[in-house]
Amino acid sequence: MTVRRDFQEPARCRPDLVIGREELFAGARGQLASGGSVLLHGPAGIGKSTALRALAEEYGATARTVLRCSATESESHLPFLALADLLGLVLDEVSPRLPAAQRTALESALTGRGESSLQRDGLALRLAVLSALRALAAHGPVLVVADDLQWLDPASAELLGFAARRLEGTPVQLLCAVRTEGQESQEYDRHLRACPPGTLAVRLGPLSRTQVAQLLDHRGHGGLPRSTVREIHRTSGGNPLFALELGRALADSPTPPRPGEPLPVPTSLRALVLSRLDMLSVEARRTLLVASAGARPTLALLHAAGRENAEAECAQAAELGLLATEPDAPAVRFAHPLISAALYAEAPAHERRAAHAALSTAASDPIERARHLALATTGTDPEVAARLAEAAALARDRGAPSVAAQLGLLAARHTPADGTPSPEERRLTAAEDAITAGEVDLARDIAREVLTRATVPADRVRAWIVVIDTAGHTMAEVDAVFPQALADAGDDPRLLALVHYQLAWRALIVEGDFTEAREAAAHAAELAARGQDRRTELLALAFQAQTETLMGHPEAPRTIKRALREPQDPRVAWHHNGAGSARFRWLVMGDQLAEARTTVTALLREVRRRGSVESEVHFLRGLAETELRAGHCGRALDLARDSLRLARDSGIGETASAMLTSLAEASGGDVDRALALAREAVDHAEEDGDQMYLSRALGALGYAQLVAGDPAATVRSLRRVRSLELGLGITDPARGRWQGDLAEALVRIGEPAEAQDVIDVSREHALRLGRESVLAVLDRSEALVRAAQGDLEAALAQLTSAQDRLGKLGYGLEEARAAFALARLRGGVPGPAAYDEAARMFRRCRAVPWLRRVEESRTTPEPPPAPAAPDAPAALTVLAAMERQVAALVMEGATNREIAARLFISVKTVEATLTRVYRKLGIRSRVDIVRLAAGRRAP
């Protein structure tokens, strides 16, 4: 049809229409904005029509005339039908401007009157279409939108191509879509040749698993477990239409597929992919069924499963397009995963069991043999259950916990109610494997199912622990679980140890109380030792060690040694909450970067071998942090992005990974991206009630704001961090390393006294704990304070010393920042050489945002620090900036809670600050502050 209208403002395509297509859309938008044409191509269901509509809606706003056609296969034999769709409604407008012969030919073709044909009226008709488009373009831009070019009737396709090749210099753009098959397909070539010169061809490929999850969520299917979403992605091959149909079928199905079974394939998709199955012989169809039941089917496997004519039958299927032809590859591969799923779903249950029975003896892998045996067996069978449990253990050892979880569920299904282990024990083992694999939704569902039936205390407590574990950093949501778990644990020290270990995490994450967390962990370790549960004892000791490290507690080294003492449990040794992780944290905070890198690299390698997703996310962050400290910003950014990608894919550790990636982006990537990620992390931490990561996320936000050149925002963010850490009981400045950034920003906004207070308090703790790099950074910041106070010579000397020490410690980025600060204090004197050194160091670190700041400083002089604003009576000038602000608000009559809210600090911080104010001013109460102010103001 033809649409012509005057748009008042551009229409915007909905975000869910372009999921996973952002980069492709950017290219298409740029092409259309510059006046060019675009050809979208890809397989059926990949989203071409959706993308076409979104782009047409957006760019139709810039055209006076929009011409549309959408062909169908059933109508492709009707000549000039597409041409009638395009030009039918504007025929009266353009006819008077055409020569008589062209007008007659075009009217005859569009109206069906007469016997117009390309053979008889070829030239006149071709010129008529070209002239019609030019006539429309004379009054304003024309956009031609044509979907499904492969179904265009040949006559219309020829006429449109003829005109398109001759429209150069005319404001006519084509936006078209055509179906093509295969990644390397060149079928679109002839359609591209029929488009205007310079047309951009954009291939739409499959969506990633994360993008499929986003699409399902946008279309109302967001409640599906991640394991199910993963299977939808695999079965659909990333095709959005197929994924949505599968998601809809699952949502409509009263019972989800059982472990080991493929997804239900809706009738709409079965008809789409199985239309050629009826052309297969009965035996060929049975052979394909065996192939669809196998995990990695080959001709040899099919022969071993009794399919004697597998080669000929597979060749027949390949000719029909059901199998992909790969002459040199032994695998039997379906042309699309959906064909395999639909074929399996279409087969009767007894035929499926027969296929699995054949494969249970033909498969060479013991895991595959056990899986097929389970799917070929009905009812409970202790022998089958035992074989499945052995296969699950083997999969676990191979680093395939997801497979182990599926096999464990199959084992539970075939275990008799009075079996040993019981069905519930096997389900819980499967749930724990699912947690390791990052499939927390599946694990939670298993645990809740067990809790509806289990009566044995050990099973119930174990299930409660799974529920708590799957909550992650949203532990506040499962508060009601803890009393029930304690009640089920009774007096059993082993069970109590499990619950108290989780209570330690709750104290840290929900309450933000490091002291309570440390005590709960120590109690859990004691209970576990009494119950001879070495695994829980080691986890509790490692947690206690990490807590003490962050607190700056003197017992931390001794607790780490206890956690590393033999005998060790291999499941704890590599775990992200184990002693190895605690030791890594101690090393990285203690400036032992080389040893920290070696330690975390080994841990990362081991968890990848074991398939532990949460631990992999954690140690990727750890390695990224180590590289960032060492000044390897590019490497850190790559690792951080990998961590964030895996975290979002699995739904585990997203807040922490967003925070770390923000730090990496601000150091070596894109500052705007850093700000967005930091704000995301802050929002998530606040939403989850996660006090521990809220301070880390605010620290990342403050750093990104500093790099972005917004010191006032930096101060607001990092003052909150200071308050939070004081409330949490964190005293080790190496935990977040925000103190130097806050001091620097305070100097920039004219608060050198408060900056010095931050430096003094932090230095005291850094000296006590031997944090050499922190001390050097504090010296760098103190040099800025001295410069602001006019002591430039001392500032330069202190900066030079700090730079040298940071270089020797291996902190490349901090060393470069010191060189940059030196250059700015010297004002570029003597010449640009000082900036050259800073630029060279930042370039070596691949610190792109900092390098950009150096280049800006070369051309724009550094603004002097803002003068301190007198916001209190003269008697208060002896106070630090924060103390002056609190005292001034007391003078205004503000309560401690009101002061805390206005300054973004805690009530405890207000009380501690007032105590220092009383001491410095020689007074005893708030009333004395008010009296002091009144006396100063009296005439």
Side-chain angles (χ1 to χ4, degrees):
M1 79 182 213
T2 305
V3 179
R4 195 178 86 188
R5 53 182 174 155
D6 295 323
F7 291 93
Q8 298 301 312
E9 61 182 10
R12 295 294 173 201
C13 55
R14 289 165 36 208
D16 59 314
L17 295 181
V18 296
I19 288 173
R21 312 297 191 198
E22 290 80 4
E23 290 186 14
L24 296 178
F25 259 62
R29 284 192 178 107
Q31 176 77 355
L32 291 168
S34 65
S37 296
V38 173
L39 176 67
L40 306 172
H41 68 103
I46 205 67
K48 301 181 300 299
S49 296
T50 302
L52 187 82
R53 286 194 299 271
L55 288 169
E57 182 180 357
E58 187 170 351
Y59 283 90
T62 65
R64 175 183 177 268
T65 306
V66 179
L67 308 176
R68 299 177 187 268
C69 72
S70 182
T72 62
E73 185 177 12
S74 62
E75 299 172 338
S76 60
H77 66 285
L78 299 174
F80 305 122
L81 184 62
L83 188 65
D85 283 343
L86 287 171
L87 297 177
L89 296 182
V90 295
L91 182 59
D92 291 342
E93 178 182 348
V94 299
S95 286
R97 297 181 233 172
L98 301 180
Q102 293 180 22
R103 181 170 61 250
T104 300
L106 184 60
E107 289 176 349
S108 176
L110 296 186
T111 62
R113 294 190 295 271
E115 296 295 331
S116 180
S117 69
L118 280 178
Q119 285 74 27
R120 193 179 63 202
D121 301 322
L123 182 57
L125 196 49
R126 288 178 174 87
L127 292 174
V129 173
L130 178 60
S131 298
L133 291 173
R134 284 175 174 165
L136 291 170
H139 294 282
V142 176
L143 179 65
V144 177
V145 181
D147 198 3
D148 283 319
L149 287 184
Q150 73 277 2
W151 304 132
L152 245 62
D153 62 274
S156 295
E158 163 63 22
L159 291 169
L160 186 60
F162 176 86
R165 291 190 294 272
R166 291 161 177 80
L167 285 171
E168 191 169 359
T170 305
V172 177
Q173 295 174 265
L174 268 65
L175 175 58
C176 306
V178 62
R179 180 185 299 180
T180 58
E181 300 296 336
Q183 181 65 32
E184 303 300 326
S185 173
Q186 298 300 310
E187 298 167 34
Y188 70 93
D189 272 356
R190 75 181 166 88
H191 297 288
L192 188 60
R193 287 194 295 271
C195 292
T199 294
L200 175 68
V202 178
R203 178 172 178 80
L204 276 66
L207 300 180
S208 69
R209 185 168 66 181
T210 302
Q211 291 161 352
V212 165
Q214 291 174 328
L215 178 65
L216 291 168
D217 185 51
H218 272 287
R219 299 300 178 87
H221 306 306
L224 296 171
R226 289 180 184 272
S227 55
T228 303
V229 172
R230 184 186 62 206
E231 190 61 21
I232 288 175
H233 177 258
R234 188 197 67 78
T235 303
S236 68
N239 184 297
L241 172 64
F242 297 171
L244 286 171
E245 288 297 312
L246 289 166
R248 188 175 295 113
L250 280 167
D252 294 341
S253 175
T255 55
R258 292 175 18 167
E261 293 183 347
L263 299 177
V265 180
T267 304
S268 58
L269 293 185
R270 291 191 199 187
L272 178 66
V273 300
L274 297 179
S275 57
R276 287 163 286 188
L277 268 182
D278 291 338
M279 301 173 68
L280 282 176
S281 66
V282 174
E283 291 302 314
R285 188 163 179 157
R286 286 176 180 165
T287 294
L288 287 194
L289 176 60
V290 174
S292 70
R296 293 174 297 277
T298 62
L299 289 172
L301 178 66
L302 294 176
H303 279 298
R307 308 311 303 167
E308 298 177 356
N309 299 316
E311 285 92 344
E313 290 158 355
C314 286
Q316 182 187 0
E319 288 178 6
L320 293 172
L322 295 168
L323 294 180
T325 54
E326 296 180 4
D328 298 330
V332 174
R333 190 169 66 84
F334 285 89
H336 192 282
L338 193 60
I339 297 173
S340 173
L343 175 65
Y344 187 92
E346 193 81 359
H350 70 276
E351 289 188 12
R352 291 190 217 168
R353 287 195 296 273
H356 285 297
L359 289 168
S360 68
T361 57
S364 59
D365 185 82
I367 293 176
E368 275 300 289
R369 286 200 300 272
R371 184 178 76 88
H372 289 303
L373 179 62
L375 295 174
T377 305
T378 57
T380 60
D381 187 319
E383 184 179 343
V384 171
R387 284 187 57 183
L388 284 163
E390 291 170 4
L394 180 58
R396 197 176 302 121
D397 289 342
R398 289 182 181 178
S402 179
V403 175
Q406 296 296 330
L407 291 167
L409 289 174
L410 287 170
R413 192 196 337 173
H414 290 289
T415 301
D418 58 351
T420 304
S422 69
E424 307 309 334
E425 288 179 90
R426 282 181 165 150
R427 285 190 180 91
L428 288 169
T429 300
E432 290 158 358
D433 284 328
I435 290 176
T436 301
E439 297 178 8
V440 293
D441 295 330
L442 175 61
R444 186 187 302 113
D445 290 345
I446 295 170
R448 294 202 179 279
E449 183 186 351
V450 167
L451 286 166
T452 62
R453 292 192 300 264
T455 56
V456 177
D459 290 346
R460 293 188 60 80
V461 171
R462 197 172 161 195
W464 289 125
I465 297 303
V466 170
V467 172
I468 295 169
D469 269 342
T470 56
H473 281 251
T474 60
M475 291 186 83
E477 296 179 3
V478 294
D479 260 355
V481 165
F482 288 98
Q484 300 177 72
L486 285 169
D488 283 329
D491 297 327
D492 189 327
R494 290 176 65 92
L495 301 181
L496 285 170
L498 291 171
V499 182
H500 280 277
Y501 173 66
Q502 296 293 343
L503 283 169
W505 277 105
R506 184 193 175 280
L508 184 62
I509 292 172
V510 179
E511 301 297 334
D513 191 328
F514 272 69
T515 301
E516 183 183 341
R518 174 181 177 268
E519 291 172 356
H523 184 46
E526 179 188 340
L527 286 166
R530 200 188 319 158
Q532 298 183 337
D533 180 358
R534 183 60 173 162
R535 179 176 184 272
T536 303
E537 181 187 8
L538 290 170
L539 283 170
L541 286 171
F543 179 84
Q544 182 184 344
Q546 293 230 40
T547 307
E548 289 171 349
T549 298
L550 296 174
M551 294 172 68
H553 197 285
E555 286 294 313
R558 198 166 10 258
T559 308
I560 291 175
K561 287 181 181 177
R562 287 178 62 199
L564 291 169
R565 195 175 298 155
E566 296 293 340
Q568 286 291 313
D569 185 316
R571 295 171 297 172
V572 178
W574 52 264
H575 195 273
H576 60 279
N577 289 327
S581 182
R583 181 172 178 272
F584 160 72
R585 180 55 49 195
W586 175 260
L587 290 169
V588 83
M589 291 176 68
D591 300 327
Q592 300 179 60
L593 296 183
E595 192 171 352
R597 182 187 293 108
T598 301
T599 299
V600 75
T601 300
L603 289 167
L604 180 60
R605 186 185 306 115
E606 181 63 17
V607 298
R608 279 176 167 165
R609 187 186 72 80
R610 293 175 177 268
S612 177
V613 173
E614 185 172 6
S615 293
E616 182 178 357
V617 171
H618 182 89
F619 290 132
L620 274 170
R621 285 200 306 269
L623 184 54
E625 180 185 353
T626 307
E627 299 294 357
L628 199 56
R629 299 282 172 236
H632 304 153
C633 299
R635 171 72 172 147
L637 184 58
D638 290 342
L639 289 163
R641 286 173 175 170
D642 286 347
S643 170
L644 182 60
R645 193 178 303 113
L646 186 57
R648 286 186 167 156
D649 193 31
S650 62
I652 295 174
E654 291 183 76
T655 300
S657 293
M659 176 276 299
L660 198 280
T661 308
S662 172
L663 291 172
E665 291 281 1
S667 298
D670 180 86
V671 179
D672 290 337
R673 174 75 171 150
L675 290 166
L677 284 169
R679 291 187 179 110
E680 174 191 324
V682 170
D683 290 345
H684 284 176
E686 288 180 328
E687 183 181 334
D688 295 343
D690 186 344
Q691 297 297 304
M692 182 173 65
Y693 267 110
L694 178 56
S695 65
R696 296 294 305 272
L698 284 166
L701 178 59
Y703 174 67
Q705 289 164 333
L706 182 69
V707 179
D710 190 351
T714 300
V715 169
R716 288 193 296 272
S717 297
L718 297 186
R719 274 178 178 162
R720 287 188 67 190
V721 177
R722 191 182 189 193
S723 169
L724 282 166
E725 292 205 350
L726 183 63
L728 289 167
I730 297 172
T731 60
D732 193 334
R735 187 245 185 180
R737 297 177 181 268
W738 48 265
Q739 297 83 0
D741 294 337
L742 175 56
E744 181 177 334
L746 285 165
V747 171
R748 299 290 169 212
I749 67 168
E751 294 286 1
E754 185 182 349
Q756 189 63 55
D757 182 59
V758 171
I759 292 165
D760 290 343
V761 172
S762 304
R763 181 178 282 138
E764 180 182 347
H765 293 300
L767 284 168
R768 173 174 60 86
L769 296 166
R771 305 304 192 214
E772 292 298 328
S773 64
V774 173
L775 289 168
V777 168
L778 292 173
D779 280 355
R780 184 185 70 202
S781 302
E782 190 172 50
L784 301 180
V785 175
R786 289 184 171 181
Q789 294 170 341
D791 193 351
L792 184 60
E793 185 176 344
L796 292 172
Q798 193 170 19
L799 267 176
T800 303
S801 171
Q803 179 184 340
D804 181 61
R805 286 150 57 206
L806 287 166
K808 289 178 179 177
L809 288 167
Y811 285 76
L813 182 59
E814 300 294 354
E815 178 191 9
R817 286 182 62 181
F820 184 30
L822 273 170
R824 288 190 295 184
L825 286 189
R826 289 170 177 156
V829 179
Y835 282 125
D836 286 346
E837 181 184 6
R840 176 182 58 78
M841 289 183 173
F842 283 132
R843 198 173 290 112
R844 181 182 63 195
C845 294
R846 290 177 59 189
V848 178
W850 283 106
L851 190 60
R852 192 173 296 119
R853 292 201 61 186
V854 171
E855 297 308 316
E856 290 169 356
S857 296
R858 289 182 190 273
T859 56
T860 306
E862 183 72 15
D871 54 357
L876 304 187
T877 55
V878 298
L879 303 178
M882 176 66 76
E883 295 164 350
R884 290 202 309 274
Q885 290 179 30
V886 170
L889 289 171
V890 169
M891 293 172 190
E892 294 176 11
T895 66
N896 286 3
R897 188 172 298 279
E898 290 169 342
I899 294 170
R902 288 175 65 176
L903 297 181
F904 299 103
I905 58 178
S906 67
V907 175
K908 285 184 180 179
T909 303
V910 175
E911 294 168 351
T913 304
L914 281 173
T915 300
R916 295 198 301 272
V917 169
Y918 301 155
R919 186 176 66 250
K920 289 184 178 181
L921 297 182
I923 58 179
R924 296 182 178 180
S925 69
R926 296 167 60 94
V927 175
D928 291 333
I929 295 179
V930 176
R931 287 173 180 165
L932 179 63
R936 286 285 173 180
R937 291 168 184 159

